Amino acid sequence: MPHRTTRTHAVGPRGRGAHRLVADALRAAQPGDTVVVAPGRYQESLELARRVVLVAEQGPGTVVLAAPPGGAPALRVFGPDCLLRGLDLEGADPGDPAVTVTAGAGLVLDHCTVTGGRIEVRGPEGAEPGDFREGEEGTSAVLLRDCRLTGARHAALRLSGGARVRIESTTVADIDGVGAVLAGTARLDVTGLRLESTTGSGIRLRGRSRLRMTESRLTSPGRAGLLLEDTAHALVTTTRIETPGTAGLHLGGDSHADLTDTRVLRPAASALVLQDAARLTADGCTVTAPGANGLLATGTARARLTDCRLEDCGFSAVHLADRAEAAFTDCRVRRGAEHGFHVAGSAVLDLTDSTVGEIALTGVAVTDEARATVTGCRIDTVHTGVAVASPAGTRIANSTVVGAARAGLEVSAGGRAVLTGNRVTGSGAAGLLLDSGSEATVEGGSVEGGSGSGVVVWTGARPVIGGLRIDGTGRNGVYFAEGAGGLLTSCDLVGTRLPALHLAAGATPRLRRCRVLDCPAAFGGDGSAAPVLEQCDVDGAPLAFVGALHPPAAPVLPGAPAVPAVPLPTGAGAPPAAAAPAELPTAEPEEEHLDDLLAELATLVGLDRVKHDVQSMVKLMQAVRLREEAGLPAPPLSRHLVFAGNPGTGKTTVARLYGRLLKALGLLRRGHLVEVDRSALVGEYVGHTGPRTAAAFNRALGGVLFIDEAYSLVPESGGHDFGLEAVATLVKLMEDHRDDVVVIAAGYPADMARFVGSNPGLSSRFTRTLLFEDYSAADLVAIVEHQANEHRYALTGPARLRLLHHFETLPRGAGFGNGRSARQTFQEMTERQAQRMAEAVTPTPDQLSTLEPADLPAPALG
């Protein structure tokens, strides 16, 4: 049969021999023909039922195929191997399909734009999704190459049945919904995708769908970057997920994901969320600055991370709950607001050859019935290195803890742990803290330096310790509290500052083949202790307990108690975050005089009404103190305040000064300021908010707790919100510590009444509101001049006048920051002046420190 010659059909609004409608040309075309479309807008609903090529004559951006009103798509594809090149497809309604591809059909969109509607691809039902294999190219019924999808509602791309789609170098942007939705056994291969600004998740997978994505970027999805449900599977490499509205990756059901060289940056919630029986493997991935956890796993989820980085987490970097399991190898966790790893419920953690550092609370916290295995790790700059409060059995081996403020390794009441070959250096309160009711076995390792004791064995504890070296500790080598005991075998206690062994009343430890070297004394404490000594020696001589102990020869550190000040944990199962910190010796802040502080208040720019109110309160408190000293009853007085004002009006500055004033009046112990907002008080899951709020409150004891945007704790629409739990916790704590803390709630004036009225306990405690008015233009100029003086700059007279005009004409909308705007203006002026000086040949010192009108921001020069 002879081969048929393909033909070209022309489409144009005018011209002899050309079709006026694209549909006419398609009806005339035979399989393999090409339809060339002249520039213009064609309002048609096209059907491709056979293999044809449809191209824009003059390239992308010149031809628009627009769907007519009525709901029909701009393009429906029924035939195989159809190709569109350089065409713009426009749907009639953003919520309807602009392009549909039916089962068995094939389509290539090359350099095309689809706007105002989605691409909908239906595959054959019952098709198997298959698995992705290394090096597999895959096949696709639809190929999008160098395309742009925009302006759809609900979804930009929807795949169902056994649909097969491949995307190359394509942008999906400004979608009122999800970027792409996969269901059934659909499969999507993606290379070079740029997904930007969706109100929903970036890509959502349901059913048994499959996604393979590489070299892509998902920016600002309104919810999760990737959302997997049911038994979906995603294989993601060399991809960035930036600023998602919730999680970077959210797995539920029996879904699983494999990530390689992928970054999740600044998600609003947790970066990686695993629920139900989801599974995750991640290799060479990075999580940066999540609003909550770096990894949150619940249910029976499982995760395995290798060579990954989790940094700057708003909550614990890793939180495992229920029966979740996770293994981390060669990973790095740095800078976190809570724990490095929090293992709760019956979860299991395996942490190997990893580092954890700069963590506000505990490097690894094991609570409830959870268990952990930590091997070959380094934990540094934390409050507590590892805290075990679970009886399930945790093993810490060949690991190093450096610079823990409280304890290097802690086994709390009810906790059970085996500690093998670990090194603890520079701990603040204790190298090892073994609490009452704990069960601990220590095999080898060392405790070195630090300001506290090497090992603290609390009342009733009976640890088994063998082969441990304690060297150069700031207090005792081993401190046995009242009634403590246990077995020490082949341990060396070297160069301690206080006696090697402190024995409180009733302590009954057994020491076997232990050595005391270069310590001021072997024993200190209470003569009623009854240690058992077997083959022990002190500086080469046999060690004996004489029964009458004397104070240590070495002086006690100034301000330090004679026994380790390590408070007991708050109870079995209590999270380590709730434990009170060790009271380490600290230098007392320098006393400040009330008159100096009032003078400092007077120098603040503007704020006349606020300064008057603060001065009045100071006089009232002085009168209260005088009445108390005279033995007269004090009038009722609430020190808690509401600061109502727009951003940048000096609320934080005044709050800090208010605390110092109360300290000078003798009404607060420390007068320091702890600043928090909703994210610091409200947890992400049930049971998290109370301890989180309490921890923030406890940091403020003796000073001021400043709650910025306090109204955000109370939802405008009512209903249940974890913020209400934070409010209830605050009310109780304010009552329990009424004389030892001041709470200042700050926010927009219109919203603070709603906050105070949300709980009767708040309205009875916040009885005074200070109103912070916006700064005038002259005030803002004064703030800039103050900044200039601090940094050794000076404004010329013309620059000062121009600056006043700038602030007088500056729009005061939602983005106006009052004092913050003034400081930003000063910064911009110095930057512009620096650029001007860079062009000068040899600027003089006066020129380098002078700000001219030309240095003002551009809008002020108009």
Side-chain angles (χ1 to χ4, degrees):
M1 185 174 182
H3 179 72
R4 190 185 73 81
T5 302
T6 59
R7 296 186 301 164
T8 298
H9 304 267
V11 178
R14 63 180 64 86
R16 178 175 295 181
H19 297 281
R20 296 296 182 91
L21 298 177
V22 180
D24 293 342
L26 292 175
R27 281 191 289 270
Q30 297 298 310
D33 286 356
T34 299
V35 176
V36 178
V37 186
R41 180 182 178 86
Y42 301 83
Q43 193 165 46
E44 305 180 54
S45 181
L46 305 179
E47 295 185 354
L48 299 182
R50 58 183 68 90
R51 181 171 57 90
V52 295
V53 177
L54 188 62
V55 300
E57 181 182 35
Q58 295 185 20
T62 63
V63 176
V64 177
L65 301 180
L75 179 66
R76 287 182 287 190
V77 183
F78 303 100
D81 302 326
C82 300
L83 168 64
L84 273 68
R85 179 177 293 122
L87 300 172
D88 294 345
L89 302 169
E90 184 179 297
D93 187 313
D96 293 333
V99 177
T100 62
V101 182
T102 62
L107 173 67
V108 176
L109 295 180
D110 187 8
H111 288 82
C112 293
T113 296
V114 180
T115 186
R118 66 180 176 273
I119 298 177
E120 190 166 288
V121 184
R122 302 186 189 95
E125 299 295 335
E128 290 298 319
D131 290 320
F132 296 117
R133 297 178 178 83
E134 190 69 28
E136 178 192 7
E137 289 298 326
T139 60
S140 61
V142 174
L143 171 62
L144 309 181
R145 180 187 297 122
D146 294 302
C147 292
R148 181 177 178 86
L149 281 57
T150 184
R153 187 167 63 242
H154 306 314
L157 181 65
R158 179 176 290 172
L159 283 61
S160 61
R164 300 289 184 268
V165 175
R166 183 172 180 81
I167 294 177
E168 298 175 357
S169 303
T170 289
T171 297
V172 177
D174 301 321
I175 306 301
D176 185 10
V178 181
V181 176
L182 284 68
T185 57
R187 177 166 160 171
L188 177 62
D189 279 340
V190 176
T191 301
L193 172 67
R194 295 295 179 265
L195 185 145
E196 305 167 357
S197 300
T198 63
T199 61
S201 297
I203 300 178
R204 181 181 184 183
L205 284 75
R206 304 173 62 185
R208 294 190 291 155
S209 58
R210 300 287 185 265
L211 168 69
R212 177 165 59 184
M213 181 164 59
T214 186
E215 297 178 3
S216 297
R217 177 175 293 183
L218 280 59
T219 304
S220 300
R223 296 190 65 78
L226 296 176
L227 173 61
L228 277 68
E229 302 170 280
D230 305 323
T231 58
H233 176 210
L235 182 64
V236 182
T237 61
T238 324
T239 290
R240 292 166 64 98
I241 303 174
E242 300 183 19
T243 59
T246 56
L249 177 71
H250 192 140
L251 305 177
D254 291 310
S255 64
H256 66 288
D258 301 296
L259 308 183
T260 303
D261 191 24
T262 291
R263 303 187 69 184
V264 181
L265 308 176
R266 301 179 299 282
S270 296
L272 307 172
V273 177
L274 282 67
Q275 295 177 317
D276 307 320
R279 290 166 289 152
L280 170 70
T281 61
D283 190 353
C285 298
T286 299
V287 167
T288 301
N293 306 111
L295 170 70
L296 171 63
T298 61
T300 58
R302 287 177 289 161
R304 181 173 295 277
L305 284 75
T306 305
D307 188 26
C308 292
R309 305 292 180 262
L310 286 76
E311 302 170 342
D312 301 301
C313 297
F315 292 178
S316 297
V318 176
H319 183 90
L320 308 178
D322 301 328
R323 290 180 291 152
E325 299 182 10
F328 289 77
T329 303
D330 191 25
C331 292
R332 178 184 175 92
V333 173
R334 305 298 292 182
R335 297 181 302 277
E338 291 189 350
H339 307 295
F341 293 81
H342 189 181
V343 196
S346 299
V348 178
L349 170 68
D350 187 346
L351 183 63
T352 305
D353 297 335
S354 298
T355 62
V356 182
E358 299 174 66
I359 300 298
L361 298 179
T362 306
V364 179
V366 188
T367 62
D368 302 329
E369 301 292 327
R371 57 188 171 89
T373 301
V374 180
T375 307
C377 295
R378 177 185 171 90
I379 301 171
D380 67 82
T381 321
V382 295
H383 182 257
T384 299
V386 180
V388 181
S390 165
T394 288
R395 301 186 66 89
I396 315 296
N398 304 318
S399 295
T400 300
V401 180
V402 178
R406 175 180 166 86
L409 302 174
E410 177 178 345
V411 186
S412 301
R416 186 163 65 90
V418 176
L419 315 176
T420 304
N422 301 295
R423 179 172 178 253
V424 179
T425 69
S427 294
L432 309 182
L433 172 56
L434 311 177
D435 194 15
S436 304
S438 64
E439 183 179 336
T441 300
V442 181
E443 302 170 352
S446 64
V447 177
E448 304 166 16
S451 57
S453 295
V455 180
V456 172
V457 183
W458 212 252
T459 303
R462 297 284 189 274
V464 176
I465 302 175
L468 179 68
R469 180 181 176 87
I470 301 170
D471 193 342
T473 56
R475 300 189 68 78
N476 306 109
V478 182
Y479 177 93
F480 289 96
E482 292 183 3
L487 172 63
L488 273 66
T489 303
S490 301
C491 295
D492 288 348
L493 291 79
V494 182
T496 60
R497 186 167 184 181
L498 299 186
L501 298 158
H502 178 98
L503 305 177
T508 58
R510 178 183 295 269
L511 281 70
R512 181 180 299 156
R513 296 189 300 278
C514 293
R515 299 189 302 172
V516 175
L517 303 171
D518 196 25
C519 296
F523 295 103
D526 192 294
S528 67
V532 176
L533 307 177
E534 302 175 10
Q535 304 177 42
C536 299
D537 64 69
V538 51
D539 293 322
L543 177 62
F545 182 71
V546 297
L549 303 181
H550 302 283
V556 177
L557 293 175
V563 297
V566 184
L568 289 175
T570 55
E583 295 290 341
L584 301 180
T586 56
E588 285 296 320
E590 185 177 343
E591 291 294 330
E592 296 182 292
H593 196 275
L594 182 62
D595 291 340
D596 295 335
L597 294 174
L598 290 173
E600 184 178 337
L601 174 69
T603 63
L604 297 179
V605 174
L607 303 177
D608 292 340
R609 181 174 174 178
V610 169
K611 289 188 284 190
H612 177 269
D613 289 344
V614 172
Q615 289 167 347
S616 297
M617 288 189 293
V618 168
K619 293 177 181 178
L620 176 61
M621 293 175 187
Q622 285 178 306
V624 168
R625 190 180 62 179
L626 291 173
R627 286 181 60 88
E628 289 176 338
E629 291 174 352
L632 298 173
L637 175 66
S638 175
R639 300 176 297 178
H640 309 302
L641 299 173
V642 172
F643 281 8
N646 292 323
T649 49
K651 296 187 293 295
T652 306
T653 300
V654 174
R656 184 173 289 108
L657 188 54
Y658 183 61
R660 294 161 60 199
L661 284 165
L662 295 183
K663 169 72 164 56
L665 287 167
L667 299 177
L668 284 177
R669 290 183 290 113
R670 298 176 58 192
H672 66 296
L673 183 82
V674 174
E675 184 176 359
V676 298
D677 57 14
R678 176 185 170 93
S679 66
L681 303 176
V682 178
E684 194 179 36
Y685 43 85
V686 175
H688 191 204
T689 296
R692 188 172 175 82
T693 301
F697 191 94
N698 288 338
R699 292 198 302 272
L701 289 176
V704 176
L705 178 66
F706 182 83
I707 308 174
D708 197 16
E709 298 182 353
Y711 55 83
S712 64
L713 297 173
V714 182
E716 291 188 65
S717 58
H720 179 72
D721 183 89
F722 288 155
L724 298 176
E725 182 184 348
V727 169
T729 303
L730 284 170
V731 169
K732 183 179 185 306
L733 291 170
M734 290 166 70
E735 176 62 26
D736 294 343
H737 302 277
R738 66 173 70 92
D739 296 325
D740 197 29
V741 75
V742 167
V743 178
I744 297 177
Y748 290 105
D751 295 307
M752 291 310 296
R754 173 167 56 85
F755 167 74
V756 174
S758 67
N759 186 298
L762 291 180
S763 58
S764 65
R765 288 168 176 81
F766 290 102
T767 58
R768 183 186 291 267
T769 297
L770 272 60
L771 180 62
F772 287 70
E773 298 173 338
D774 288 344
Y775 288 112
S776 68
D779 290 337
L780 296 174
V781 172
I783 293 173
V784 172
E785 289 201 283
H786 177 73
Q787 292 279 305
N789 292 334
E790 281 192 345
H791 295 84
R792 299 183 66 183
Y793 285 92
L795 277 71
T796 65
R800 190 177 297 107
L801 291 175
R802 190 68 62 85
L803 185 62
L804 179 63
H805 175 72
H806 169 77
F807 286 129
E808 287 175 340
T809 57
L810 189 67
R812 298 204 173 202
F816 179 67
N818 278 290
R820 191 177 303 116
S821 294
R823 291 186 289 273
Q824 291 170 348
T825 298
F826 170 70
Q827 180 179 348
E828 187 171 350
M829 291 175 70
T830 60
E831 292 172 354
R832 292 168 67 91
Q833 190 249 27
Q835 294 174 0
R836 187 164 55 82
M837 290 298 100
E839 299 173 359
V841 179
T842 55
T844 66
D846 285 345
Q847 289 176 313
L848 290 170
S849 60
T850 300
L851 298 175
E852 301 282 356
D855 301 323
L856 266 72
L861 300 177

